[in-house]
């Protein structure tokens, strides 16, 4: 399984754009990159998934360069409610996901 | 996205008793469901893979006789913590995959907080 590396924590202010980068140097050819958000005492919530280039949905954008060794989750204009832990995971689409430590994002007013 | 529910959302029990946690896929069928455990300030740890109509597959270090998993239908998997002890107190989360446009996506339930006194 591809190992991922994310910053342990990040701080931001309301209204700012937040970019969280994840390193996955040995990602497999069949792996997608999936990002989840988790609030305390809740199950992880799917945010976005991509294979390469750029994917955008109503809550975030995901940038994956051509070499696919990293990915960046972009959260536009964060609010206090975006304070959570964000996980980057390689996903084969079949096996159970293996979670790393994630990035704890703290949004300040 | 697909909806996965869990019941109960929290449970408190005495040491030595058994507790059953239900995981349901509400708007899709799931031949495979996954059970995770999360201790405070830690990440999710996969406990087992639940397969409809067959035995569950447990991760290394997870006692299969203590954590009984039953996946009797395509929408329901249950985790029973037998003879629970305080060290079993944790947040238990189930999940299931749903087919998407490009690949299957794993959706998670809201979790069940187990406290063993």
């Amino acid at each position: 399984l591809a190992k991922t590396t994310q910053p342990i924590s990040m701080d931001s202010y309301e209204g700012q754009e937040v970019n969280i980068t994840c390193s996955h140097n040995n990602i497999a050819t069949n792996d997608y990159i999936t990002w989840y958000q988790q609030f305390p005492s809740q199950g992880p919530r799917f945010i976005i998934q991509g294979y390469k280039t750029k994917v955008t949905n109503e809550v975030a954008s995901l940038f994956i360069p051509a070499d696919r060794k990293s990915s960046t989750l972009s959260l536009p204009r964060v609010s206090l409610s975006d304070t959570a832990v964000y996980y980057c995971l390689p996903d084969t689409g079949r096996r159970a996901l293996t979670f790393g430590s994630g990035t704890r994002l703290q949004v300040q007013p | 996205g697909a909806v996965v529910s869990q019941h109960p959302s929290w449970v408190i029990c005495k040491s030595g008793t058994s507790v059953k946690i239900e995981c349901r896929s509400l708007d899709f069928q799931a031949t495979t469901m996954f059970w995770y455990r999360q201790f405070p300030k830690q990440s999710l740890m996969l406990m087992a893979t639940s397969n409809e109509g067959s035995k569950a597959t447990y991760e290394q270090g997870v006692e299969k006789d203590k954590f009984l998993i039953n996946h009797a239908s395509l929408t329901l998997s249950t985790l029973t913590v037998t003879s629970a002890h305080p060290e079993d107190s944790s947040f238990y989360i189930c999940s299931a995959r749903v087919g998407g446009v490009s690949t299957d996506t794993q959706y998670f339930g809201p979790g069940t907080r187990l406290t063993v006194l």
Side-chain angles (χ1 to χ4, degrees), chain B residues 36-51:
Chain B
Y36 292 81
R37 182 167 53 179
Q38 186 174 33
F39 292 107
K41 303 293 185 184
Q42 294 186 23
S43 189
L44 283 78
M45 293 291 294
L46 178 67
M47 298 176 66
T49 300
S50 170
N51 303 298

Side-chain angles (χ1 to χ4, degrees), chain B residues 14-108:
Chain B
K14 293 182 178 179
S15 185
T17 61
S18 295
V19 173
K20 180 184 285 187
I21 302 171
E22 293 185 348
C23 176
R24 293 181 185 275
S25 56
L26 296 187
D27 49 0
F28 65 99
Q29 294 183 329
T31 55
T32 302
M33 290 183 174
F34 307 102
W35 286 95
Y36 292 81
R37 182 167 53 179
Q38 186 174 33
F39 292 107
K41 303 293 185 184
Q42 294 186 23
S43 189
L44 283 78
M45 293 291 294
L46 178 67
M47 298 176 66
T49 300
S50 170
N51 303 298
E52 188 268 335
S54 65
K55 292 182 179 180
T57 304
Y58 291 82
E59 295 299 300
Q60 191 172 8
V62 178
E63 301 173 59
K64 62 181 180 181
D65 294 330
K66 181 171 185 61
F67 299 99
L68 301 179
I69 291 174
N70 184 286
H71 194 154
S73 78
L74 289 172
T75 59
L76 173 65
S77 174
T78 60
L79 168 68
T80 301
V81 183
T82 63
S83 186
H85 291 284
E87 57 266 30
D88 299 321
S89 297
S90 188
F91 192 54
Y92 293 86
I93 309 169
C94 70
S95 70
R97 286 195 173 274
V98 178
V101 175
S102 55
T103 187
D104 291 354
T105 300
Q106 195 164 330
Y107 290 94
F108 290 81

